[in-house]
Amino acid sequence: MSSIRLGTSANIATRLSEMAAQIPHSLAVAAPRGRNPQGKQTYQRLTFGELEDDTNCIAAGLQNMGIVPGMHHFTGSSRNRFYFANLRFVQDRRCHCAD
């Protein structure tokens, strides 16, 4: 197994970008989705690359709506764990948004 090299930043969005660059196809998040016909638990999965892409899209959308880094805002979320994970990274991203 290869070693993952992370910078010294404690910002979770920076860490996500580092992980996405180094291991984009590795599993980042898995959330229960339901059960298959045999009754076995199934999961929705996102890789680091997918999570990074989703986070950039959400950050760009928020920025286009006028929400800028440092602005206080409330974000309501359904029980969708992926949406919540993406928002958490967006909040830490500090405008490293895709154009």
Side-chain angles (χ1 to χ4, degrees):
M1 183 171 154
S2 63
S3 174
I4 298 170
R5 298 180 192 273
L6 298 176
T8 59
S9 174
N11 182 294
I12 195 168
T14 300
R15 293 285 175 102
L16 170 62
S17 295
E18 291 170 354
M19 298 294 283
Q22 293 181 45
I23 52 172
H25 303 292
S26 293
L27 182 65
V29 180
R33 180 173 48 189
R35 299 203 176 269
N36 67 17
Q38 293 76 33
K40 185 177 178 182
Q41 180 71 57
T42 59
Y43 295 87
Q44 184 177 358
R45 304 169 195 278
L46 277 180
T47 65
F48 283 103
E50 292 167 332
L51 186 57
E52 172 79 352
D53 290 345
D54 288 353
T55 299
N56 286 334
C57 287
I58 293 169
L62 291 173
Q63 188 175 23
N64 287 338
M65 291 188 310
I67 298 173
V68 297
M71 180 182 285
H72 293 274
H73 63 281
F74 171 79
T75 305
S77 176
S78 66
R79 294 181 351 177
N80 184 323
R81 289 177 180 94
F82 290 109
Y83 184 68
F84 177 78
N86 283 331
L87 287 177
R88 183 67 198 118
F89 288 119
V90 166
Q91 290 169 350
D92 284 343
R93 186 148 304 270
R94 300 293 180 245
C95 212
H96 293 96
C97 307
D99 290 329

